[in-house]
Amino acid sequence: MKIPDSLLKKYNGAVPRYTSYPPANHFTTDFGAGNFISLVNDSNDGKPENIAFYVHIPFCKKICYYCGCNSCATGNGSMVRPYIDALKKEFAIISPLLDKTRPVSQIHYGGGTPNSIDINFLNELNEMFFREFRLIENPEIAIECNPEFLSFDSIDELVSAGFNRFSLGIQDFNNDVLRNVNRTPSRITPEKLFAYLKGKNDKFSINLDFIYGLPGQTADSFCA
């Protein structure tokens, strides 16, 4: 099959990942704070009424080579406290605009690596949400986790903080592939992590994240 040069030129360019909609290459300076506030206000009349919050924790103890997320190395950790305070300040600005009769059905922590920072920071944020808004029965409180930083004790702390969905960033079971991308294997085997979480509560939701196309990865190694 011969691919036309015009088609190759059309698609031979870097594009943003679709982690937001519209994607970043469609962002413009025409959309300002006033537009954002207006949309937040308008959401109070939308259907369904439920609210979902996303919390971005950009910190990682080290950056994987493939990472395209808005993330930064934690370093000595001095920026974590100011960042959490900034999130709380933003929440204080936005929450009065939202109809408090609307129930919260989901809170999702992404990153970065949310479970790489002290659990007390996550507790602070969850308590803020739980205090200010009404939650549906059995809301989804989700967190993306790098299993390198998960121990049985840290899982207990996350559960105590209210988390009930765990997204485990396995990426690949082959340790050589992980080393190629500056990632450390899971501290506890995925099987034991899964069993421990389900042992805490069999209704917990668990998903495993994988990436294909990593250096040294083959179809056979990925399936092994």
Short mmCIF file of all heavy atoms in Angstrom, two decimals, residues 151-156 159 188 190-201 204 206:
data_model
loop_
_atom_site.label_atom_id
_atom_site.label_comp_id
_atom_site.label_asym_id
_atom_site.label_seq_id
_atom_site.Cartn_x
_atom_site.Cartn_y
_atom_site.Cartn_z
N SER A 151 2.61 0.17 50.41
CA SER A 151 2.84 -0.89 51.39
C SER A 151 1.49 -1.24 51.97
O SER A 151 0.49 -0.53 51.76
CB SER A 151 3.80 -0.41 52.48
OG SER A 151 3.20 0.65 53.24
N PHE A 152 1.42 -2.30 52.75
CA PHE A 152 0.15 -2.64 53.38
C PHE A 152 -0.29 -1.53 54.33
O PHE A 152 -1.47 -1.20 54.42
CB PHE A 152 0.27 -3.97 54.11
CG PHE A 152 0.50 -5.15 53.19
CD1 PHE A 152 1.45 -6.11 53.49
CD2 PHE A 152 -0.22 -5.29 52.00
CE1 PHE A 152 1.67 -7.19 52.65
CE2 PHE A 152 -0.01 -6.36 51.14
CZ PHE A 152 0.94 -7.32 51.47
N ASP A 153 0.68 -0.93 55.03
CA ASP A 153 0.33 0.16 55.94
C ASP A 153 -0.20 1.38 55.19
O ASP A 153 -1.16 2.02 55.62
CB ASP A 153 1.56 0.57 56.77
CG ASP A 153 1.92 -0.46 57.84
OD1 ASP A 153 1.06 -1.29 58.17
OD2 ASP A 153 3.06 -0.42 58.32
N SER A 154 0.43 1.71 54.06
CA SER A 154 -0.02 2.88 53.32
C SER A 154 -1.40 2.64 52.70
O SER A 154 -2.21 3.57 52.58
CB SER A 154 0.99 3.27 52.24
OG SER A 154 1.08 2.30 51.21
N ILE A 155 -1.68 1.39 52.32
CA ILE A 155 -3.02 1.06 51.83
C ILE A 155 -4.04 1.28 52.93
O ILE A 155 -5.12 1.86 52.72
CB ILE A 155 -3.07 -0.39 51.31
CG1 ILE A 155 -2.27 -0.51 50.00
CG2 ILE A 155 -4.52 -0.82 51.08
CD1 ILE A 155 -2.14 -1.94 49.50
N ASP A 156 -3.71 0.84 54.15
CA ASP A 156 -4.61 1.05 55.29
C ASP A 156 -4.89 2.53 55.49
O ASP A 156 -6.03 2.93 55.77
CB ASP A 156 -3.99 0.47 56.57
CG ASP A 156 -3.92 -1.05 56.54
OD1 ASP A 156 -4.59 -1.67 55.70
OD2 ASP A 156 -3.18 -1.61 57.38
N VAL A 159 -7.27 3.80 52.76
CA VAL A 159 -8.63 3.34 53.03
C VAL A 159 -9.24 4.17 54.15
O VAL A 159 -10.41 4.59 54.07
CB VAL A 159 -8.63 1.84 53.39
CG1 VAL A 159 -10.00 1.40 53.89
CG2 VAL A 159 -8.22 1.00 52.18
N ILE A 188 5.22 -4.52 46.34
CA ILE A 188 4.47 -5.74 46.64
C ILE A 188 3.93 -6.26 45.31
O ILE A 188 3.50 -5.48 44.47
CB ILE A 188 3.32 -5.44 47.61
CG1 ILE A 188 3.85 -4.84 48.92
CG2 ILE A 188 2.50 -6.70 47.91
CD1 ILE A 188 2.78 -4.24 49.80
N PRO A 190 1.69 -7.41 42.31
CA PRO A 190 0.32 -6.99 42.00
C PRO A 190 -0.74 -7.96 42.52
O PRO A 190 -1.81 -7.55 42.96
CB PRO A 190 0.31 -6.93 40.47
CG PRO A 190 1.74 -6.63 40.11
CD PRO A 190 2.57 -7.37 41.12
N GLU A 191 -0.43 -9.27 42.49
CA GLU A 191 -1.40 -10.24 42.99
C GLU A 191 -1.70 -10.01 44.47
O GLU A 191 -2.86 -10.05 44.90
CB GLU A 191 -0.86 -11.67 42.80
CG GLU A 191 -0.69 -12.10 41.35
CD GLU A 191 0.69 -11.78 40.81
OE1 GLU A 191 1.40 -10.94 41.39
OE2 GLU A 191 1.07 -12.39 39.79
N LYS A 192 -0.65 -9.74 45.25
CA LYS A 192 -0.84 -9.52 46.68
C LYS A 192 -1.52 -8.17 46.95
O LYS A 192 -2.33 -8.05 47.88
CB LYS A 192 0.50 -9.59 47.41
CG LYS A 192 1.09 -10.99 47.46
CD LYS A 192 2.42 -11.02 48.23
CE LYS A 192 2.97 -12.43 48.30
NZ LYS A 192 4.29 -12.47 49.00
N LEU A 193 -1.20 -7.16 46.14
CA LEU A 193 -1.88 -5.87 46.28
C LEU A 193 -3.38 -6.04 46.04
O LEU A 193 -4.20 -5.54 46.82
CB LEU A 193 -1.32 -4.87 45.27
CG LEU A 193 0.03 -4.22 45.58
CD1 LEU A 193 0.44 -3.31 44.43
CD2 LEU A 193 -0.02 -3.43 46.87
N PHE A 194 -3.71 -6.72 44.96
CA PHE A 194 -5.11 -6.93 44.61
C PHE A 194 -5.82 -7.69 45.73
O PHE A 194 -6.93 -7.30 46.16
CB PHE A 194 -5.20 -7.70 43.30
CG PHE A 194 -6.58 -7.76 42.71
CD1 PHE A 194 -6.98 -6.82 41.78
CD2 PHE A 194 -7.47 -8.76 43.08
CE1 PHE A 194 -8.26 -6.87 41.22
CE2 PHE A 194 -8.74 -8.82 42.54
CZ PHE A 194 -9.13 -7.88 41.61
N ALA A 195 -5.20 -8.77 46.20
CA ALA A 195 -5.81 -9.59 47.24
C ALA A 195 -5.98 -8.81 48.54
O ALA A 195 -7.01 -8.93 49.23
CB ALA A 195 -4.97 -10.84 47.49
N TYR A 196 -4.99 -7.97 48.87
CA TYR A 196 -5.08 -7.21 50.12
C TYR A 196 -6.20 -6.18 50.05
O TYR A 196 -6.97 -6.01 51.01
CB TYR A 196 -3.75 -6.52 50.41
CG TYR A 196 -3.69 -5.90 51.80
CD1 TYR A 196 -3.48 -6.70 52.91
CD2 TYR A 196 -3.85 -4.53 51.98
CE1 TYR A 196 -3.43 -6.14 54.19
CE2 TYR A 196 -3.81 -3.97 53.25
CZ TYR A 196 -3.59 -4.78 54.35
OH TYR A 196 -3.56 -4.22 55.60
N LEU A 197 -6.30 -5.49 48.92
CA LEU A 197 -7.36 -4.49 48.76
C LEU A 197 -8.74 -5.13 48.81
O LEU A 197 -9.65 -4.63 49.47
CB LEU A 197 -7.17 -3.73 47.44
CG LEU A 197 -6.06 -2.68 47.44
CD1 LEU A 197 -5.72 -2.27 46.01
CD2 LEU A 197 -6.50 -1.45 48.23
N LYS A 198 -8.90 -6.23 48.11
CA LYS A 198 -10.19 -6.92 48.12
C LYS A 198 -10.48 -7.52 49.50
O LYS A 198 -11.64 -7.65 49.89
CB LYS A 198 -10.22 -8.02 47.05
CG LYS A 198 -10.40 -7.48 45.63
CD LYS A 198 -11.75 -6.78 45.47
CE LYS A 198 -12.02 -6.37 44.04
NZ LYS A 198 -13.34 -5.71 43.87
N GLY A 199 -9.42 -7.86 50.22
CA GLY A 199 -9.60 -8.35 51.58
C GLY A 199 -10.09 -7.27 52.53
O GLY A 199 -10.82 -7.55 53.49
N LYS A 200 -9.71 -6.03 52.24
CA LYS A 200 -10.20 -4.91 53.04
C LYS A 200 -11.69 -4.69 52.78
O LYS A 200 -12.46 -4.42 53.70
CB LYS A 200 -9.43 -3.62 52.70
CG LYS A 200 -7.94 -3.68 52.92
CD LYS A 200 -7.58 -3.70 54.40
CE LYS A 200 -7.85 -2.36 55.05
NZ LYS A 200 -7.38 -2.36 56.47
N ASN A 201 -12.07 -4.78 51.51
CA ASN A 201 -13.48 -4.60 51.14
C ASN A 201 -13.65 -5.14 49.72
O ASN A 201 -13.06 -4.61 48.78
CB ASN A 201 -13.86 -3.12 51.20
CG ASN A 201 -15.34 -2.88 51.02
OD1 ASN A 201 -16.01 -3.60 50.30
ND2 ASN A 201 -15.85 -1.84 51.66
N PHE A 204 -14.39 -2.75 46.78
CA PHE A 204 -13.44 -1.78 46.25
C PHE A 204 -13.26 -2.01 44.75
O PHE A 204 -13.22 -3.16 44.28
CB PHE A 204 -12.08 -1.92 46.93
CG PHE A 204 -12.01 -1.28 48.29
CD1 PHE A 204 -10.93 -1.55 49.13
CD2 PHE A 204 -12.98 -0.42 48.75
CE1 PHE A 204 -10.84 -0.98 50.38
CE2 PHE A 204 -12.91 0.16 50.01
CZ PHE A 204 -11.83 -0.11 50.82
N ILE A 206 -10.79 -1.75 41.52
CA ILE A 206 -9.35 -1.76 41.26
C ILE A 206 -9.15 -1.88 39.75
O ILE A 206 -9.78 -2.70 39.09
CB ILE A 206 -8.66 -2.95 41.95
CG1 ILE A 206 -8.97 -2.97 43.46
CG2 ILE A 206 -7.15 -2.91 41.71
CD1 ILE A 206 -8.55 -4.26 44.14
#
